[in-house]
């Protein structure tokens, strides 16, 4: 890698400024004339690009130039002169060819631009390649041909044996396999041990079955109507094109693990998940900043690869979010390698109607990632450009894109007729040969392969598939979950279990003090010193009034003490939206951040990652989910700035967090903190939409819930409850995502604090909090409520001197604690009236969830008190808000 330009290079460029402008013009504009699109309707080469005309720079065709120092291509006579025409035609060959073109002139960094020009110029021209690293041996050619033939054979086999199955095959994009072939080789050579890949539907099965050791029998078994999991697995399963791979490969004698992560149908949604999983693996193996070596860059051992569709890459906003995360601290993964399978269509929509940019890859330019446009008809060039892309990724640890121009032989699926909407281009496609056929013929012409050998490859693979089809009847799916880092964990059962999450208070007191312990020379903000630091110390020492943020620090710190890594991610999480957390403090003179808990002495060395996120919900939540599915021993917390913003990440919630275990046997213990509560703040910021999460859970209406619900949804009202529910996430022998309806004003509400006894050994999270203040025999009415609303009702009850109304708090909504509720209600023998009181509107909150459960499982009628039905979550009129609160109190306590 060259960091500065050699003297003779500078001299040459200075002496021939105008010639160098021509060279630079080719680097910038050459791609516009390249013909890398195998099914183009346009005549690319008839375009006139003024900037590529030597006259534009005052150069005449016969003028003599010295190309050395201007370009890297050694094709022209060494040290000898050339004419402008000769130079231009070489540049034309490099930058405007039919195999590959490049875009990198927008990169600000000179070193990178020089590196790219140098390497691309070495690679792009056939004759030149022979003098560089970029060569393909005949043996490699035969391997490439075999992969293409297998891919084609897979599709032919499926078309004949399973004619009505939508397989989203690889036809037209077969060069995907040579891409992977080179990727694995380059990765193994570079010492990479693990690759995490996100990839959509198209071409996935041919890849998995030919290169990633997936038994075709598994697919055929599924196609016969069976599950991909053993019969006793509590899974509803998924469709073929969402199957994942987690495989130990051996590549060139080296071990290489590949995870092709699961994908929902929502295109591109898998991308941030793959990034998060990559980072978690990097943390586990000590890659990049997780190592003790400050020089070690990310992606030294674990690499992220993302494969996109052309329409989806340009269309789905999550890609902008992912690229925007690429180099942000706590989100970086050392540069992802991207491949766009650019078949130039999305369903029925051609590129020009699917985006406003010239190239489908143009978003890459926002982070100055280089782009190589390669012709998918040229599998060797796909291999070479993958080699170069990997070299760039290794040299700079930055994102890079390969835009593979190919086609889709059939419609969106193989049952579809693409000519309804795209007749012209499909005329080209239907009249052309396939990529495997073209390549095989080329190798036969060059005597690299014989027709008989090619035929043997085809027949062998066909016979293998046929044999697998026969075996599929007796195929037994493997229980491939709860393995490796998940060993020891299991599926939850239909019982509700209780986990002792308390700890000796002496230890907690120590951890609490450590959470505000600063280095002596740290210049702390005076206000924080008084309120946050000294305030916390006092509370801890007295063991009284332990507030929400202290309880959180105790939960996080104690898990760290017990050896777990913890990560809290989201917008502004270090301070906290409500300026309550301050788990990370900023030196008022140096601006440096300090996380006291990371200097926690003693214990088993867990670390806290405070990941201030970009202003995104979808990609960031997907990223955290990716971390959570990787390692069950890490506590991963995502906090929404306000609960309602979680709907920006709805795809991640619906398609991964809530359903992942049911579809895929992939548990996760991700925590979502969603600030919620009516405080007069108008339609946004009041509600995290509890009702939606309750609709997503599989809590039963007519039978008691066990631990085996798909998600835990809690609305805790004391700091100790919050402490226990966080710790429980890691101390149980199963993992469930946890939605915490999180506080705003309760963060500082004295009644929501706890005392030391609430944290000690033998204590645990309570699904329900009864009413110890009331004489049960006098109670005529029982109000059941949840969350901060309890404090409003309790205070009003006190003020009014009421002693015949009991208040019960449902701290856990899902699982619904039916049995505990029955037991609690049994105390109130005289009670005639049962009310659900909530601050939300009637079509929101937990009402419609609680009511059928209460009536079915408790067997009593439940009445509603709360706001009336509304379109939006809260009024924006202060007086109306106040009146509503008064009405709810009055109607609840009448
Ligand atoms: C988020 C989302 N919206 C819509 C769809 C429906 N859909 C499935 S495939 C497809 C076209 C995808 O085009 P492209 O990304 O180019 O991939 P290709 O199918 O061409 O390989 C669409 C719109 C989807 N799967 N996901
Ligand atoms: Mg497409």
């Amino acid at each position: 890698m060259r960091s500065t330009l050699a003297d003779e290079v500078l001299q040459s460029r200075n002496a021939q400024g105008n010639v160098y402008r021509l060279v630079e013009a080719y680097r910038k504009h050459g791609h516009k004339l390249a013909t890398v699109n195998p099914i183009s309707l346009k005549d690319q080469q008839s375009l006139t690009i003024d900037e590529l005309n030597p006259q534009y720079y005052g150069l005449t065709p016969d003028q003599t130039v010295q190309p050395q120092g201007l370009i890297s291509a050694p094709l022209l006579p060494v040290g000898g002169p050339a004419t402008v025409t000769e130079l231009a035609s070489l540049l034309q060959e490099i930058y405007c060819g039919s195999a590959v073109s490049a875009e990198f002139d927008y990169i600000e960094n000179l070193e990178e631009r020089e590196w790219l020009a140098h390497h691309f110029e070495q690679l792009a021209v056939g004759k030149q390649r022979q003098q560089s690293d970029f060569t393909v041996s005949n043996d490699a050619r035969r391997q490439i041909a075999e992969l293409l033939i297998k891919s084609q054979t897979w599709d032919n086999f499926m078309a004949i044996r399973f004619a009505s199955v939508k397989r989203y095959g690889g036809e037209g994009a077969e060069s995907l396999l040579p891409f992977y072939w080179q990727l694995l080789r380059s990765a193994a050579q570079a010492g990479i041990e693990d690759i995490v890949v996100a990839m959509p539907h198209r071409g996935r099965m041919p890849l998995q079955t030919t290169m990633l050791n997936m038994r075709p029998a598994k697919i055929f078994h599924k196609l016969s109507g069976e599950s991909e999991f053993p019969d006793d697995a509590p899974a509803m399963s998924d469709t073929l094109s969402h199957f994942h791979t987690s495989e130990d490969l051996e590549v060139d004698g080296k071990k290489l693990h590949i995870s092709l992560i699961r994908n929902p149908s929502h295109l591109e949604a898998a991308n941030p998940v793959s990034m998060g999983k990559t980072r978690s693996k990097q943390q586990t193996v000590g890659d990049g900043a997780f190592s003790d070596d400050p020089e070690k860059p990310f992606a030294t051992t674990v690499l992220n690869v993302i494969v996109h569709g052309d329409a989806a890459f340009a269309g789905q906003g999550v890609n902008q979010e992912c690229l925007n995360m690429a180099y942000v601290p706590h989100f970086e993964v050392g540069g992802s390698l991207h491949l766009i399978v650019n078949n130039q269509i999305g369903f029925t929509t051609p590129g020009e109607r699917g985006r406003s940019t010239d190239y489908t890859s143009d978003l890459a330019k926002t982070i100055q990632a280089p782009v190589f446009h390669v012709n998918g008809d040229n599998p060797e060039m796909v291999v070479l450009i993958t080699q170069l892309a990997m070299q760039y990724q290794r040299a700079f640890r930055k994102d890079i894109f390969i835009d593979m121009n190919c086609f889709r032989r059939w419609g969106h699926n193989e049952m579809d007729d693409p000519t309804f909407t795209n007749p012209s281009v499909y005329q080209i496609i239907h009249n052309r040969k396939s990529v495997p056929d073209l390549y095989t013929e080329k190798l036969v012409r060059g005597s690299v392969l014989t027709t008989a050998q090619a035929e043997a490859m085809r027949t062998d693979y066909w016979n293998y598939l046929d044999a697998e089809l026969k075996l599929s009847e007796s195929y037994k799916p493997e229980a491939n979950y709860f393995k490796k880092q998940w060993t020891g964990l299991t599926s939850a059962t239909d019982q509700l279990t209780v986990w002792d999450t308390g700890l000796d208070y002496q230890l907690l007191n120590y951890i609490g003090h450590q959470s505000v312990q600063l280095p002596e020379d740290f210049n702390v903000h005076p206000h924080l010193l008084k309120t946050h630091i000294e305030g916390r110390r006092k509370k801890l020492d007295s063991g009284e009034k332990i507030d929400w943020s202290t309880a959180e620090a105790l939960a996080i710190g104690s898990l760290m003490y017990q050896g777990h890594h913890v990560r809290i991610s989201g917008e502004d999480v270090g301070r906290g939206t409500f300026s309550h957390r301050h788990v990370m403090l900023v030196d008022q003179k140096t601006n440096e951040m300090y996380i006291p808990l990371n200097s926690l002495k003693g214990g088993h060395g867990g670390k806290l990652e405070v990941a201030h996120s970009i202003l995104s919900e979808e990609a960031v939540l997907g990223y955290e989910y990716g971390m959570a599915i990787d390692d069950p021993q890490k506590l991963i917390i995502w906090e929404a700035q306000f609960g309602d913003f979680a709907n920006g990440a709805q795809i991640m919630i619906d398609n991964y967090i809530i359903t992942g275990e049911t579809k895929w046997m992939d548990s996760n213990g991700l925590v979502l903190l969603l600030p919620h509560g009516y405080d007069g703040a108008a339609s946004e910021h009041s509600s995290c939409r509890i009702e939606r999460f309750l609709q997503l859970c599989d809590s039963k209406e007519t039978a008691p819930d066990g631990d085996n619900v798909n998600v835990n949804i809690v609305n805790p009202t004391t700091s100790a409850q919050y402490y226990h529910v966080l710790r429980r996430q890691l101390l149980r022998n199963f993992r469930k995502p946890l939605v915490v309806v999180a506080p705003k004003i309760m963060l500082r509400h004295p009644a929501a604090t706890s005392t030391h006894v609430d944290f000690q050994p033998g204590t645990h999270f309570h699904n329900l909090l009864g009413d110890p203040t009331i004489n049960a025999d006098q109670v005529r009415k029982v109000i059941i409520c949840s969350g901060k609303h309890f404090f409003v009702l309790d205070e009003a009850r006190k003020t009014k001197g009421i002693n015949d109304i009991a208040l019960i708090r449902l701290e856990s909504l899902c699982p619904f604690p039916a049995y505990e509720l029955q037991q609690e209600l049994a105390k109130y023998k005289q009670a005639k009236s049962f009310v659900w009181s909530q601050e939300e509107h009637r079509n929101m909150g937990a009402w419609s969830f609680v009511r059928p459960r209460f009536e079915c499982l408790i067997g009593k009628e439940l009445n509603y008190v709360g706001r009336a039905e509304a379109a939006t979550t809260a009024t924006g009129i202060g007086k109306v808000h106040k009146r509503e609160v008064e009405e709810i109190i009055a109607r609840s306590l009448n």
Side-chain angles (χ1 to χ4, degrees):
M1 198 193 315
R2 297 178 303 171
S3 56
T4 45
L5 297 175
D7 284 349
E8 59 271 24
V9 170
L10 274 182
Q11 274 162 19
S12 172
R13 292 181 188 179
N14 286 338
Q16 309 177 86
N18 281 354
V19 185
Y20 189 56
R21 286 175 68 201
L22 178 68
V23 173
E24 287 279 81
Y26 268 95
R27 288 174 184 161
K28 180 169 178 165
H29 301 285
H31 63 91
K32 297 174 190 167
L33 291 182
T35 51
V36 294
N37 178 356
I39 52 160
S40 180
L41 292 168
K42 290 186 206 147
D43 179 8
Q44 206 72 17
Q45 283 190 315
S46 67
L47 286 177
T48 307
I49 309 287
D50 281 344
E51 292 92 330
L52 299 183
N53 182 349
Q55 285 173 6
Y56 202 77
Y57 308 96
L59 302 170
T60 53
D62 298 333
Q63 189 178 331
T64 306
V65 295
Q66 294 288 350
Q68 275 62 38
L70 303 188
I71 60 171
S72 293
L75 263 190
L76 294 163
V78 180
T83 63
V84 164
T85 304
E86 281 170 325
L87 176 67
S89 94
L90 178 60
L91 287 166
Q92 186 96 20
E93 209 177 333
I94 296 170
Y95 286 102
C96 317
S98 62
V100 65
S101 65
E103 288 183 282
F104 53 80
D105 83 290
Y106 43 81
I107 294 174
E108 301 281 342
N109 182 298
L110 173 69
E111 185 189 340
E112 276 183 57
R113 275 201 322 276
E114 290 287 332
W115 188 100
L116 284 157
H118 174 75
H119 287 81
F120 187 75
E121 287 164 15
Q122 298 281 306
L123 177 149
V125 178
K127 281 170 263 173
Q128 200 145 282
R129 227 177 286 141
Q130 285 145 27
Q131 302 163 34
S132 73
D133 296 342
F134 299 104
T135 52
V136 183
S137 68
N138 282 344
D139 183 45
R141 290 191 169 104
R142 284 186 286 271
Q143 291 187 48
I144 294 169
E146 184 166 8
L147 285 174
L148 297 175
I149 288 172
K150 281 181 173 176
S151 185
Q152 186 178 41
T153 307
W154 167 266
D155 274 307
N156 291 345
F157 185 88
M158 293 295 284
I160 289 175
R161 297 281 193 260
F162 298 94
S164 62
V165 166
K166 297 172 184 172
R167 61 182 185 273
Y168 307 107
E171 286 164 283
E174 288 94 341
S175 290
L176 182 65
L177 268 56
F179 159 79
Y180 274 98
W181 182 82
Q182 182 58 42
L183 168 72
L184 297 178
R185 257 140 210 86
S186 291
Q189 274 159 25
I192 290 168
E193 292 165 11
D194 216 324
I195 304 185
V196 181
V197 187
M199 178 182 161
H201 52 298
R202 197 161 307 281
R204 206 173 151 105
M205 278 189 276
L207 168 73
Q208 288 172 309
T209 48
T210 53
M211 292 182 70
L212 305 184
N213 299 348
M214 182 179 284
R215 290 264 318 268
K218 177 175 175 173
I219 290 170
F220 303 146
H221 179 76
K222 173 87 179 170
L223 281 171
S224 70
E226 299 289 339
S227 169
E228 62 272 32
F229 296 110
D231 292 341
D232 61 348
M236 286 171 73
S237 307
D238 198 4
T239 182
L240 283 173
S241 52
H242 300 168
F243 279 8
H244 88 310
T245 290
S246 169
E247 197 65 29
D248 289 315
L249 304 175
E250 198 173 303
V251 181
D252 289 346
K254 301 214 170 89
K255 281 215 162 106
L256 182 57
H257 185 82
I258 185 161
S259 312
L260 185 62
I261 67 159
R262 308 192 191 265
N263 53 324
S265 287
H266 291 65
L267 294 165
E268 311 289 324
N271 306 348
V273 179
S274 75
M275 292 171 75
K277 189 173 166 81
T278 303
R279 189 168 173 96
S280 177
K281 281 177 178 267
Q282 290 175 337
Q283 181 173 30
T284 304
V285 300
D287 202 339
F290 294 116
S291 79
D292 297 331
D293 175 1
E295 301 295 311
K296 189 173 179 182
F298 275 107
T300 298
T301 36
V302 189
L303 175 72
N304 182 231
V305 174
I306 305 184
V307 178
H308 313 266
D310 55 313
F313 179 69
Q316 291 291 303
V318 71
N319 286 316
Q320 181 272 335
E321 296 183 20
C322 283
L323 293 192
N324 194 27
M325 286 196 295
Y327 308 134
V328 170
H330 306 292
F331 292 88
E332 61 188 311
V333 291
S336 306
L337 183 88
H338 301 259
L339 174 80
I340 303 178
V341 178
N342 183 0
N343 56 16
Q344 310 178 64
I345 195 157
F347 219 120
T348 69
T349 307
E352 68 273 15
R353 277 183 275 134
R355 58 177 192 264
S356 295
T357 53
D358 288 340
Y359 287 111
T360 184
S361 54
D362 279 351
L363 184 67
K365 294 173 183 166
T366 61
I367 57 160
Q368 299 179 35
V371 179
F372 299 129
H373 306 283
V374 64
N375 190 334
D377 269 3
N378 191 330
E380 278 178 31
M381 187 50 83
V382 172
V383 162
L384 293 172
I385 210 67
T386 305
Q387 187 186 338
L388 177 54
M390 278 294 285
Q391 283 181 6
Y392 172 86
Q393 193 280 335
R394 300 323 284 158
F396 298 99
R397 301 298 157 107
K398 293 177 100 177
D399 287 46
I400 182 156
F401 281 74
I402 300 171
D403 167 27
M404 186 176 86
N405 287 247
C406 54
F407 60 96
R408 186 188 74 192
R409 179 157 288 280
W410 311 110
H412 170 60
N413 60 64
E414 291 75 13
M415 313 293 107
D416 221 359
D417 185 346
T419 58
F420 294 148
T421 48
N422 295 282
S424 311
V425 82
Y426 271 85
Q427 201 174 9
I428 300 178
I429 292 171
H430 288 153
N431 288 332
R432 54 157 289 157
K433 286 190 174 167
S434 74
V435 178
D437 289 352
L438 284 177
Y439 189 64
T440 311
E441 285 170 14
K442 184 178 158 202
L443 295 199
V444 170
R445 275 199 309 277
S447 306
V448 179
L449 192 72
T450 64
T451 314
Q453 282 170 325
E455 269 321 302
M457 288 172 181
R458 208 177 296 281
T459 328
D460 286 352
Y461 202 60
W462 184 281
N463 292 342
Y464 165 67
L465 294 177
D466 242 350
E468 281 288 290
L469 182 56
K470 286 195 190 86
L471 288 172
S472 67
E473 283 164 32
S474 57
Y475 176 83
K476 289 263 169 291
E478 265 176 71
N480 52 6
Y481 33 87
F482 302 127
K483 295 276 162 66
K484 294 193 172 171
Q485 64 269 40
W486 286 81
T487 307
L489 292 159
T490 176
S491 297
T493 70
D494 57 4
Q495 301 297 306
L496 273 189
T497 51
V498 172
W499 296 80
D500 179 353
T501 38
L503 282 171
D504 188 82
Y505 190 71
Q506 243 185 330
L507 174 63
L508 289 177
N509 192 17
Y510 166 76
I511 291 169
H513 277 274
Q514 291 281 300
S515 75
V516 285
Q517 185 64 41
L518 297 170
E520 262 170 31
D521 58 350
F522 190 86
N523 301 292
V524 67
H525 193 287
H527 177 73
L528 292 182
L529 178 63
K530 205 157 158 271
T531 56
H532 180 72
I533 298 178
E534 289 173 356
R536 177 170 292 179
R537 285 180 183 145
K538 270 192 215 131
K539 286 174 203 155
L540 285 164
D541 287 339
S542 70
E544 300 293 328
K545 297 210 162 32
I546 294 169
D547 61 19
W548 213 271
S549 111
T550 304
E552 184 183 82
L554 296 182
I556 291 175
S558 60
L559 288 170
M560 293 166 67
Y561 193 87
Q562 290 173 307
H564 299 283
H565 296 313
V566 179
R567 173 176 161 103
I568 179 157
S569 163
E571 292 144 26
D572 313 290
V573 287
R575 188 200 78 165
T577 302
F578 311 100
S579 198
H580 64 286
R581 181 170 290 126
H582 299 291
V583 69
M584 168 215 89
L585 292 143
V586 181
D587 187 300
Q588 296 299 301
K589 289 197 178 139
T590 65
N591 221 29
E592 257 171 48
M593 296 176 192
Y594 185 74
I595 299 170
L597 277 175
N598 277 337
S599 303
L600 186 64
K601 295 190 187 68
H604 295 89
K607 287 284 170 208
L608 171 62
E609 194 168 27
V610 180
H612 270 213
S613 79
I614 61 163
L615 209 169
S616 136
E617 282 75 30
E618 183 177 5
V620 174
L621 186 55
Y623 194 102
E624 304 313 328
Y625 171 80
M627 296 211 68
I629 49 165
D630 181 61
D631 188 347
Q633 301 307 336
K634 293 175 189 160
L635 181 67
I636 310 294
I637 305 172
W638 177 74
E639 181 174 70
Q641 189 114 75
F642 286 93
D644 45 356
F645 294 120
N647 62 7
Q650 202 64 47
I651 295 176
M652 299 304 161
I653 294 168
D654 291 348
N655 298 80
Y656 280 112
I657 298 167
I658 292 287
T659 51
E661 185 177 359
T662 310
K663 289 190 288 193
W664 307 320
M665 294 298 295
D666 259 359
S667 313
N668 77 87
L670 181 62
V671 179
L672 275 65
L673 299 183
L674 307 178
H676 172 95
Y678 282 50
D679 43 22
S683 66
E684 272 73 59
H685 297 150
S686 289
S687 173
C688 73
R689 297 293 202 161
I690 298 176
E691 63 280 5
R692 296 203 183 139
F693 288 95
L694 291 174
Q695 199 195 37
L696 293 175
C697 76
D698 62 4
S699 159
K700 297 189 199 69
E701 226 172 89
T702 55
D705 285 333
D707 288 333
N708 58 352
V709 289
N710 59 338
V711 53
N712 291 171
I713 304 171
V714 300
N715 195 353
T717 54
T718 71
S719 64
Q721 281 280 80
Y722 178 48
Y723 157 91
H724 288 298
V725 83
L726 283 184
R727 283 182 47 78
R728 192 179 76 168
Q729 278 306 89
L730 289 200
L731 300 183
R732 300 194 285 200
N733 64 347
F734 59 90
R735 295 289 176 267
K736 289 288 169 185
L738 171 68
V739 174
V740 181
V741 178
K744 293 186 287 182
I745 59 165
M746 256 198 304
L747 290 168
R748 296 185 171 84
H749 197 305
T753 59
S754 301
T755 62
H756 61 97
V757 288
D758 302 321
F759 298 83
Q760 70 190 10
T763 56
H764 58 86
F765 177 74
H766 295 275
N767 292 321
L768 175 152
L769 291 176
D771 196 340
T773 64
I774 203 111
N775 178 352
D777 294 336
Q778 284 179 14
V779 169
R780 66 177 170 86
K781 178 176 186 176
V782 180
I783 297 177
I784 300 134
C785 62
S786 189
K788 113 177 199 287
H789 188 50
F790 164 80
F791 295 109
V792 175
L793 295 175
D794 193 35
E795 209 169 294
R797 185 174 64 163
K798 274 192 206 121
T799 314
K800 291 177 188 236
I802 295 173
N803 56 13
D804 57 359
I805 299 181
L807 280 171
I808 296 177
R809 283 171 267 180
L810 276 189
E811 301 277 300
S812 166
L813 291 160
C814 180
F816 186 77
Y819 181 62
E820 286 163 86
L821 189 57
Q822 271 171 5
Q823 280 187 318
E824 187 60 29
L825 290 175
K827 293 180 187 163
Y828 306 108
K829 300 207 167 46
Q830 309 303 324
K832 298 277 177 294
S833 163
F834 299 90
V835 166
W836 171 259
S837 181
Q838 67 174 28
E839 56 180 358
E840 295 86 3
H841 289 275
R842 190 167 182 143
N843 53 329
M844 302 167 197
W847 163 238
S848 51
F849 175 83
V850 172
R851 184 187 193 178
R853 283 163 183 76
F854 191 89
E855 295 186 351
C856 287
L857 301 168
I858 309 295
K860 295 194 165 74
E861 189 189 351
L862 191 65
N863 295 303
Y864 175 79
V865 176
R867 287 175 165 86
E869 294 84 350
T872 183
T873 50
T875 177
I877 306 164
K879 282 185 182 160
V880 175
H881 170 75
K882 212 163 150 258
R883 194 173 64 229
E884 287 172 348
V885 175
E886 284 160 7
E887 271 174 25
I888 293 174
I889 293 173
R891 281 174 29 234
S892 298
L893 298 177
N894 69 7

